[in-house]
């Protein structure tokens, strides 16, 4: 397949005349970074035509989705663009922490942002984040499925990537803060290995589990970024030889739609001649997902208390509902000890089963509709009616500090993008992304997702402007 065909994956399904942006194919506006220059040449485009068309597209997509809290319209949009979650400092752009009244104007970039600039990426803006990472998703529209919640807390990062407002995004991931939105919006999301110090000049609400998150429309683009060593201390080379992927039997009780997505991913891996297996996490290890959420709640409560005292901020009732009650004496120490045991025992189990990567859904149920998530706090509590559902499967990687990759495996007209995640051993991102790129190619769902985004962005607006997600739901 030529680069133009591979990267402009909408060119066959959406003709040039369907876009108001001249002769630029929509497939390029929603396409991949890899080989873009060759795709330009194949489409007969020059840089200026691309810059003009893309600037118009970005303005329309941002107004529709409300993904950005700060968009720099002066940057060269013809380059490879990256947006940054609004809990991460970018010099020259305000940091709001997702709070309605807070504004901080940092004098320096977070190290990961500075590295992105050094690699030649164009930092084009700050993406919406939920309030202090624990608020409700807000009025940000999922461009692939407008009736579905985009998720949080890295809401705007996933939406901006999906909508073609940027090519890449920097986010953070606690217990799925970037993986959930990536899954809901049908893009690729990577949680990197937990390392103390990687979140300098960011707001880590749970320092014991918070990690950097990266997003792109394709896993291949995440691999492209990783090979350029966005994290300079990371090994850029994938491991040699074949890898073995093992499913987690505990997730077999997930909803039928997600079981179908998981089965499709397994079938694709077999076609790629990837050895497969299955293992079950013992009850104590599986219940550790609850410990992960409890530890996160204690961390969040401490961090929010410090923010309120230091910055004089007050959080909304929805965000406050995520805070934890005062723990019993010694409970935090117990949870930290449990986290260390979980890390050791999970890796020991993977060794015994010969598992290089774990394959599982992101959650037990498909993405929620906007009305189902409205007004609900981020952190589940044991007394919640949907507590078991909301635990999800993302804490497995978070509690152990492991890298995890999310990618769409199936697109359901009713249930939306249905994602799977691959969880690896520490510092195996290069191999994880290589495997994910191959799996992405075998699954081949990008064209359908991009076509849905294009229809959302290009549909005529009412005279009053774009509808909110809630208004769409009412109609």
């Amino acid at each position: 397949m030529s680069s133009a065909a591979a990267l402009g994956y909408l060119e066959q399904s959406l003709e040039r005349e369907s876009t108001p942006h001249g002769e630029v194919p929509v497939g390029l506006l929603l396409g991949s970074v890899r080989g873009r220059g060759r795709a330009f040449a194949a489409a007969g485009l020059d840089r200026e035509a691309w810059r003009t068309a893309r600037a118009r597209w970005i303005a329309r997509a941002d107004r529709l989705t409300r993904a950005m809290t700060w968009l720099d319209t002066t940057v060269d949009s013809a380059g490879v663009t990256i947006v940054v979650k609004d809990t991460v400092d970018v010099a020259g752009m305000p940091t709001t922490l997702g709070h309605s009244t807070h504004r901080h104007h940092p004098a320096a970039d977070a190290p990961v942002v500075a590295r992105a600039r050094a690699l030649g990426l164009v930092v084009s803006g700050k993406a919406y984040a939920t309030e202090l990472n624990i608020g409700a998703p807000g009025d940000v529209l999922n461009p692939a499925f407008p009736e579905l919640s985009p998720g949080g807390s890295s809401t705007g990062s996933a939406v901006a990537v999906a909508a073609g407002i940027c090519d890449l995004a920097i986010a953070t991931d606690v217990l799925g803060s970037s993986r959930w939105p990536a899954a809901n919006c049908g893009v690729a999301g990577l949680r990197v290995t937990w390392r103390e110090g990687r979140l300098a000049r960011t707001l880590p609400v749970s320092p014991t589990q918070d990690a950097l998150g990266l997003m792109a429309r394709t896993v291949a683009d995440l691999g492209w970024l990783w090979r350029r060593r966005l994290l300079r201390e990371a090994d850029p080379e994938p491991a040699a030889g074949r890898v073995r992927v093992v499913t987690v039997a505990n997730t077999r009780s997930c909803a039928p739609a997600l079981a179908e997505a998981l089965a499709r991913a397994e079938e694709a891996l077999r076609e790629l001649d990837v050895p497969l297996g299955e293992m079950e996490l013992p009850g104590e290890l599986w219940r550790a997902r609850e410990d992960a959420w409890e530890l996160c709640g204690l961390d969040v409560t401490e961090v929010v208390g410090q923010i309120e005292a230091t910055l004089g901020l007050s959080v909304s009732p929805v965000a406050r509902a995520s805070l934890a009650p005062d723990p019993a004496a010694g409970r935090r120490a117990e949870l930290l000890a449990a986290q260390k045991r979980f890390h050791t025992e999970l890796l020991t189990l993977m060794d015994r089963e010969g598992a290089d990567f774990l394959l599982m859904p992101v959650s037990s149920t498909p993405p929620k509709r906007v009305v189902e998530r409205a007004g609900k706090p981020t952190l589940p509590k044991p007394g919640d009616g949907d507590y078991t559902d909301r635990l999800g499967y993302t804490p497995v990687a978070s509690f152990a500090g492991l890298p995890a990759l999310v990618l769409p495996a199936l697109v359901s007209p009713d249930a939306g993008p249905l994602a799977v995640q691959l969880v690896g051993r520490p510092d195996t991102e290069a191999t994880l992304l290589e495997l994910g790129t191959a799996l992405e190619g075998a699954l081949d769902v990008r064209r359908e997702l991009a076509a849905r985004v294009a229809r959302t962005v290009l549909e005529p607006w009412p005279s009053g402007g774009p509808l909110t997600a809630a208004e769409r739901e009412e109609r």
Side-chain angles (χ1 to χ4, degrees):
M1 180 182 291
S2 70
S3 62
L7 301 171
Y9 43 70
L10 278 182
E11 290 187 38
Q12 301 304 314
S13 57
L14 293 173
E15 299 298 330
R16 293 173 185 238
E17 288 73 21
S18 67
T19 169
H21 305 308
E23 290 298 308
V24 175
V26 176
L28 283 179
L29 292 164
L30 294 173
S32 174
V33 168
R34 295 177 67 206
R36 182 178 278 169
R38 294 190 299 275
F40 285 171
L45 297 174
D46 60 29
R47 185 180 178 88
E48 188 56 37
W50 168 248
R51 178 189 293 108
T52 301
R54 198 179 194 203
R56 290 174 181 169
W57 176 276
I58 289 169
R60 183 178 178 90
D62 179 49
R63 186 182 170 207
L64 173 72
T65 63
R66 304 170 177 87
M68 305 298 293
T69 58
W70 181 271
L71 185 61
D72 188 349
T73 58
T74 67
V75 301
D76 182 5
S77 58
V80 177
T81 59
I82 189 166
V83 302
V84 181
K85 182 178 180 178
D86 204 5
T87 57
V88 180
D89 279 354
V90 177
M93 299 181 188
T95 300
T96 73
L97 306 180
H99 195 276
S100 59
T101 62
H102 177 68
R103 296 292 181 276
H104 165 62
H105 297 274
D109 291 328
V112 66
V113 176
R115 178 61 178 164
R117 291 192 199 272
L119 293 175
L121 303 180
V122 179
V123 181
S124 57
K126 302 296 290 293
Y128 172 87
T130 63
E131 181 185 5
L132 304 184
N133 289 331
I134 56 173
D139 193 25
V140 179
L141 185 138
N142 182 334
F145 282 82
E147 71 279 10
L148 298 182
S149 169
S153 62
S154 302
T155 311
S157 299
V159 170
V161 168
I165 295 169
C166 62
D167 296 309
L168 308 161
I170 293 171
T172 59
D173 187 291
V174 183
L175 289 164
S177 315
S178 65
R179 283 170 288 162
W180 287 89
N184 286 13
C185 295
V187 300
L190 174 70
R191 170 196 163 90
V192 308
T193 303
W194 182 89
R195 286 284 180 272
E196 190 172 6
R198 277 185 170 174
L199 289 176
R201 300 194 72 93
T202 75
L203 174 68
V205 291
S206 181
T208 58
Q209 300 179 83
D210 241 314
L212 283 173
L214 304 174
M215 299 185 199
R217 281 182 290 279
T218 66
V219 180
D221 278 353
L222 288 177
W224 175 89
L225 179 62
W226 192 260
R227 288 191 297 275
R228 280 151 183 77
R229 304 193 72 173
L230 182 67
L231 303 179
R232 281 185 284 191
E233 76 277 18
D235 181 0
E237 296 300 325
R242 299 172 74 194
V243 297
R244 186 167 186 260
V245 175
V246 172
T247 57
V248 178
N250 311 68
T251 69
R252 293 294 183 184
S253 60
C254 65
L258 286 164
E260 183 182 356
L262 184 63
R264 185 154 187 244
E266 291 178 87
E267 181 183 356
L269 288 168
R270 289 190 190 95
E271 292 173 356
L272 294 168
D273 198 28
V274 174
L276 295 178
E278 183 174 73
M279 72 180 196
E280 183 168 3
L281 269 61
E284 183 179 356
L285 288 185
W286 192 237
R287 286 191 296 272
R289 295 176 302 139
E290 299 181 46
D291 290 341
W293 281 108
E294 185 181 355
L295 178 58
C296 180
L298 296 182
D299 284 343
V300 163
T301 302
E302 182 176 317
V303 169
V304 170
Q306 293 171 345
I307 289 173
E308 289 184 316
T310 304
L311 301 178
L313 300 181
S314 179
V315 301
S316 68
V318 172
R320 191 166 295 281
S322 286
L323 304 187
D326 291 336
R331 181 56 180 160
R332 182 181 177 82
E334 291 175 356
L335 290 169
L336 290 172
Q339 184 181 27
K340 289 182 179 179
R341 286 197 305 274
F342 182 76
H343 173 88
T344 300
E345 292 176 12
L346 178 61
L347 291 179
T348 298
L349 182 59
M350 290 177 69
D351 284 340
R352 191 171 71 216
E353 298 290 338
D356 295 293
F357 298 103
L358 304 180
L359 174 68
M360 65 185 89
V362 175
S363 171
S364 61
T365 55
K368 297 293 187 286
R369 300 180 77 86
V370 171
V371 293
E372 293 175 301
R373 282 294 294 124
K376 285 193 175 182
T378 297
L379 274 64
K381 301 288 180 61
D384 296 341
D386 58 353
Y387 176 68
T388 301
D389 171 31
R390 293 184 63 201
L391 285 178
Y393 305 140
T394 51
V396 172
S398 301
F399 207 43
L402 302 179
L405 173 68
V406 162
L407 69 158
L410 187 66
V411 182
S412 164
D414 300 318
L418 300 172
V420 294
Q421 62 174 333
L422 288 160
V423 178
R425 298 165 183 268
D427 302 312
T428 58
E429 285 90 343
T431 309
L432 179 60
L433 290 168
E434 188 174 75
L435 174 64
T437 298
L439 177 58
E440 175 179 68
L443 291 168
D444 191 25
V445 298
R446 287 292 162 190
R447 180 179 287 113
E448 182 175 354
L449 284 165
R452 286 181 172 275
V453 171
R455 286 195 293 270
T456 300
V457 174
L458 294 175
E459 70 178 0
W461 292 345
S463 58
L467 296 175
T468 66
E471 289 169 337
R472 289 172 180 269
E473 186 73 20
E474 289 174 3
R475 293 192 175 194

